[in-house]
């Protein structure tokens, strides 16, 4: 049976074809905290339902639906990527989310600030400072997983960074601070976008790049799950919370009163907080 | 009567409102080579047909239609801006047209070349060299007159230029050559786009910027009218000619045989060449 599945062709989100790889599925499941028994169960379910041309999205749904009956927490983590995608359609919630991740790493953070450069003023997404380095982070949020940030993105961000850095370098209070430019995306960069960034010293972080320090790993390490990971929230309500600066699951419990002010019923609040608690535990 | 017209509000292509200014109309007409008698005639026709909220496009058409009955050449020059807009929808014909303008100014020109930069390779639009300077020109063609190139355009082009320049500087045969980066658009730049370019030394040229050296003035000075200025050509035929590297009205007569090969009838060829001759005379 396994022999047969080696030749199953799957359709990726980008439209590209690939050969089904059970190991990739199992890695993703383990990464989400599934037990080996759960991993085996989901793998079997998926194997039983494979057919040539199946989309990876369909495989993902199969796995997710089964996982959900076993552990809400594991399922929540497994669907983290979708949760980050659902921070859209505008880029603002993603910027706020990135800001939270930097704060968690010990940085003082400002989000969405207008900064004077040497030549022109710029709307920056995140500026993070930890005393030794000050990072200008430009966020590129894409609503479609297939959309990549191409080389034009690091090209224009490098110019923006140099323009801002020229001013920072004149500020006495930043005398011993190192300045860093960075681009963060929720999807991917093209190869030449990464090449250019590496070459000029601009940092890039995407969903799974760089290995060991990718956005996925930042999120895992922080345990910061965006509220979009919650099944018990309707799309409209997610938007309402994001607008009100409630970005992380862990921010809900301390803001129970805020939820009341936003007209959530006591039973809904209980349900939401219950799911959030499972996810962040 | 003139008093009354001072308060006529016109709607510009950008959607902005402005007060009708007869002087602007007359300047545009004179610039196209209209005689003072023609200028007066057209002005009167337009004044007679003004109403509050009239679009500048409508005024332009009124003027153009009348002008056409007087002088095909003047009318052709008057509609130059539309002719350049009609080089689209893709940007390639605009790049070729820009290449012709640089050649006319004594530059050796390559259009659409892949060039290795220090960090990555780039698809350049026009590279022009006259022995003392080598210019990398990036073309931004917009199909809508209302679309402006914003600051991101010079930001990314500046990085691209620096990346390419780093390689040019290593080439012994370019030892005494000055390197210049440039952005050309058929519409306009935002103010901060121009500010940034000026500040970093990137040249910008747009339809009416910089004064005295704008794209309109380059075209006027060269007498290089794109084939899209010809009334006697259908849209489909214009595209066919552009694809076959026939970009300028003046290139048609020397390529009469090419027109035959493209299956234009003798009578059509005669009509086209006749109109082209009027325009470039």
């Amino acid at each position: 049976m396994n022999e047969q599945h080696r030749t199953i062709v799957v359709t990726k989100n980008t439209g590209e074809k690939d050969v089904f790889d059970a190991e990739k599925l199992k890695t993703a499941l383990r990464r989400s905290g599934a037990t080996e028994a759960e991993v085996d169960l989901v793998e079997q379910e998926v194997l039983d339902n494979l057919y040539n041309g199946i989309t990876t999205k369909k495989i993902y749904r199969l796995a997710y639906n089964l996982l959900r009956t076993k552990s809400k927490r594991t399922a929540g983590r497994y669907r983290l990527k979708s949760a980050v995608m659902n921070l859209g359609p505008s880029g603002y919630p993603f910027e706020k989310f990135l800001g939270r991740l930097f704060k968690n790493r010990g940085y003082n953070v400002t989000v969405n600030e207008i900064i004077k450069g040497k030549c022109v003023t710029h709307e920056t997404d995140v500026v993070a400072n930890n005393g030794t380095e000050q990072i200008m982070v430009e966020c590129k949020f894409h609503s479609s997983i297939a959309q990549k940030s191409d080389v034009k993105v690091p090209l224009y961000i490098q110019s923006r960074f140099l323009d801002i850095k020229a001013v920072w370098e004149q500020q006495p209070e930043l005398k011993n601070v190192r300045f860093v430019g960075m681009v963060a995306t929720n999807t991917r960069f093209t190869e030449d976008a990464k090449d250019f960034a590496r070459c000029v010293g601009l940092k890039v972080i995407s969903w799974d790049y760089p290995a060991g320090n990718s956005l996925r790993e930042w999120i895992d390490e922080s345990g910061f799950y965006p509220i979009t990971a919650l099944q018990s929230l309707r799309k409209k309500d997610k938007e309402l919370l994001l607008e009100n600066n409630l970005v992380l699951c862990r921010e809900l419990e301390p803001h129970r009163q805020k939820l009341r002010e936003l007209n959530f019923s006591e039973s809904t609040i209980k349900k939401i907080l219950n799911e959030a608690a499972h996810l962040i535990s």
Side-chain angles (χ1 to χ4, degrees), chain A:
Chain A
M1 185 124 176
N2 261 330
E3 286 306 313
Q4 183 201 327
H5 288 122
R6 285 213 183 117
T7 59
I8 289 286
V9 172
V10 297
T11 307
K12 300 204 285 185
N13 285 309
T14 55
E16 293 168 88
K17 305 285 180 187
D18 205 352
V19 171
F20 173 74
D21 182 351
E23 279 314 310
K24 276 192 194 166
L25 171 69
K26 285 154 84 171
T27 305
L29 291 166
R30 287 189 193 108
R31 192 190 286 147
S32 312
T35 63
E36 279 309 304
E38 285 164 352
V39 169
D40 289 345
L41 196 74
V42 173
E43 185 194 11
Q44 198 49 55
E45 170 85 1
V46 169
L47 288 178
D48 289 347
N49 287 282
L50 278 185
Y51 53 86
N52 260 321
I54 190 172
T55 60
T56 50
K57 199 169 175 178
K58 179 105 189 218
I59 295 176
Y60 165 87
R61 277 207 192 131
L62 272 169
Y64 174 70
N65 286 336
L66 185 62
L67 212 52
R68 231 186 128 202
T69 65
K70 300 293 158 191
S71 162
K72 277 197 180 169
R73 178 167 180 258
T74 308
R77 295 188 61 187
Y78 186 63
R79 69 192 293 275
L80 185 55
K81 192 172 182 176
S82 328
V84 172
M85 293 301 300
N86 288 334
L87 283 170
S90 93
Y92 294 116
F94 183 61
E95 295 164 20
K96 286 180 184 168
F97 181 57
L98 254 291
R100 301 293 204 275
L101 291 177
F102 273 94
K103 209 166 177 183
N104 181 55
R105 295 193 150 208
Y107 289 84
N108 283 316
V109 172
T110 59
V111 176
N112 236 297
E113 217 184 22
I114 306 284
I115 297 192
K116 249 191 177 359
K118 188 186 151 205
C119 296
V120 287
T121 55
H122 305 271
E123 198 181 308
T124 57
D125 294 339
V126 178
V127 176
N129 182 310
N130 68 353
T132 61
E133 65 177 6
Q134 179 154 302
I135 314 182
M136 180 204 88
V137 192
E138 182 96 1
C139 301
K140 291 307 286 183
F141 180 83
H142 296 293
S143 293
S144 154
I145 211 165
Q147 243 180 307
K148 291 182 181 182
S149 290
D150 71 12
V151 71
K152 280 183 190 171
V153 172
L155 281 172
Y156 87 74
I157 290 169
Q158 173 68 2
S159 277
R160 174 169 289 175
F161 171 62
L162 293 178
D163 195 42
I164 288 174
K165 188 177 148 217
V167 171
W168 284 351
E169 281 170 345
Q170 302 303 316
Q171 298 178 348
E173 69 273 23
L174 295 174
K175 209 184 159 191
N176 295 310
V177 171
R178 195 161 50 94
F179 303 118
V180 181
M182 188 169 176
V183 204
T185 186
N186 62 322
T187 59
R188 289 169 148 187
F189 292 100
T190 59
E191 284 309 311
D192 60 342
K194 287 187 274 188
D195 287 347
F196 176 77
R198 194 183 302 119
C199 180
V200 295
L202 191 70
K203 300 222 167 172
V204 292
I205 181 169
S206 68
W207 182 254
D208 53 12
Y209 181 88
N213 200 24
S214 66
L215 183 57
R216 181 181 51 69
E217 286 155 311
W218 275 46
I219 302 173
D220 260 351
E221 165 211 298
S222 66
F224 279 9
Y225 291 87
I227 55 138
T228 43
L230 296 172
Q231 287 284 299
S232 46
L233 270 175
R234 291 171 306 173
K235 190 163 175 270
K236 222 184 71 188
D237 291 335
K238 288 176 183 173
E239 283 164 15
L240 183 68
L241 294 183
L242 290 171
E243 274 164 30
N244 282 276
N245 208 26
L246 292 169
V247 179
L248 305 176
C249 287
R250 66 176 57 218
E251 289 167 346
L252 297 177
E253 174 72 49
H255 290 89
R256 188 188 277 260
Q257 186 53 34
K258 181 97 188 177
L259 293 174
R260 285 191 191 108
E261 285 162 21
L262 292 171
N263 285 324
F264 287 93
S265 71
E266 283 305 320
S267 69
T268 306
I269 293 176
K270 204 175 156 189
K271 206 168 66 181
I272 297 170
L273 293 183
N274 185 35
E275 191 192 348
H278 270 101
L279 200 52
I280 64 186
S281 66

